[in-house]
Amino acid sequence: MNLNKIKQHSVTLNNQPAHHPGLWQSQHTSINNINQLNHSITILNTHSQGCEELLQVSQKLAQLSQEGRWIVLISPPNIAYKRLLNNAGVRMDRILLVHAKDEVESLWAMEKALTNGTSSAVIAWTNHLNNRDNRRLQIIAKSACATGYIIAKTKNEMTH
């Protein structure tokens, strides 16, 4: 449902928008503010398991975690990410960990986390990102309510 269309077609009485008393309205962050933010999905290629790349974005994640929405980690490898994020000032009570069974499930989880409005950032680790998946991410970015990062292994790392 497009909430912007609903708002545009609401009736006003005495310069006050009409609303139903049972209609939920956010007191903190309006849907319009979330949708107007310029969110993107950044692909970070790694020769390691993504520790250096996670460190590069950790300050941004610390800022985003203060919003009170989730920082979603999808299929992170065992790289001591908890210590790294904690040291960067990320609110650990705002971390949501998702373990996907395969690449398809990882991308599906990323799409849902980016577009549902409850996350401020989504980081997914992947072994394979083909042209089709890359195009899908470009489409998802248009409706994202969060910042996304894909930490993708380079071909050299996949052979080790």
Side-chain angles (χ1 to χ4, degrees):
M1 175 187 323
N2 188 337
L3 295 177
N4 292 332
K5 287 183 181 177
I6 292 172
K7 183 178 178 184
Q8 291 172 358
H9 296 294
S10 65
V11 178
T12 58
L13 302 171
N14 299 328
N15 294 327
Q16 295 295 319
H19 64 279
H20 186 278
L23 183 64
W24 176 83
Q25 294 181 347
S26 173
Q27 298 295 322
H28 302 289
T29 305
S30 73
I31 296 295
N32 289 336
N33 288 343
I34 291 172
N35 288 338
Q36 289 173 1
L37 296 175
N38 185 16
H39 295 293
S40 63
I41 299 174
T42 304
I43 299 172
L44 303 169
N45 292 312
T46 182
H47 295 287
S48 65
Q49 291 185 319
C51 190
E52 292 173 20
E53 291 73 19
L54 189 59
L55 186 60
Q56 289 174 8
V57 299
S58 63
Q59 292 302 314
K60 171 86 172 170
L61 296 176
Q63 293 170 350
L64 291 172
S65 72
Q66 300 307 315
E67 295 178 0
R69 294 189 293 148
W70 293 105
I71 304 289
V72 181
L73 305 179
I74 301 172
S75 300
N78 187 12
I79 57 169
Y81 61 86
K82 289 179 186 176
R83 185 171 9 119
L84 185 146
L85 294 175
N86 191 40
N87 290 345
V90 174
R91 283 183 52 190
M92 299 309 287
D93 64 331
R94 302 313 310 158
I95 298 290
L96 181 62
L97 187 58
V98 176
H99 292 287
K101 66 180 178 183
D102 57 27
E103 298 291 321
V104 172
E105 194 172 272
S106 289
L107 288 175
W108 178 85
M110 182 170 205
E111 177 180 351
K112 295 303 174 190
L114 284 168
T115 58
N116 70 10
T118 62
S119 306
S120 57
V122 181
I123 302 98
W125 281 259
T126 183
N127 292 321
H128 180 68
L129 193 61
N130 60 30
N131 289 337
R132 180 181 160 269
D133 294 335
N134 198 350
R135 177 67 184 134
R136 180 178 172 191
L137 290 172
Q138 291 173 13
I139 293 168
I140 293 167
K142 292 178 183 179
S143 59
C145 300
T147 300
Y149 298 98
I150 298 268
I151 299 178
K153 293 181 182 178
T154 60
K155 291 181 182 180
N156 291 342
E157 184 182 353
M158 288 190 276
T159 60
H160 289 19

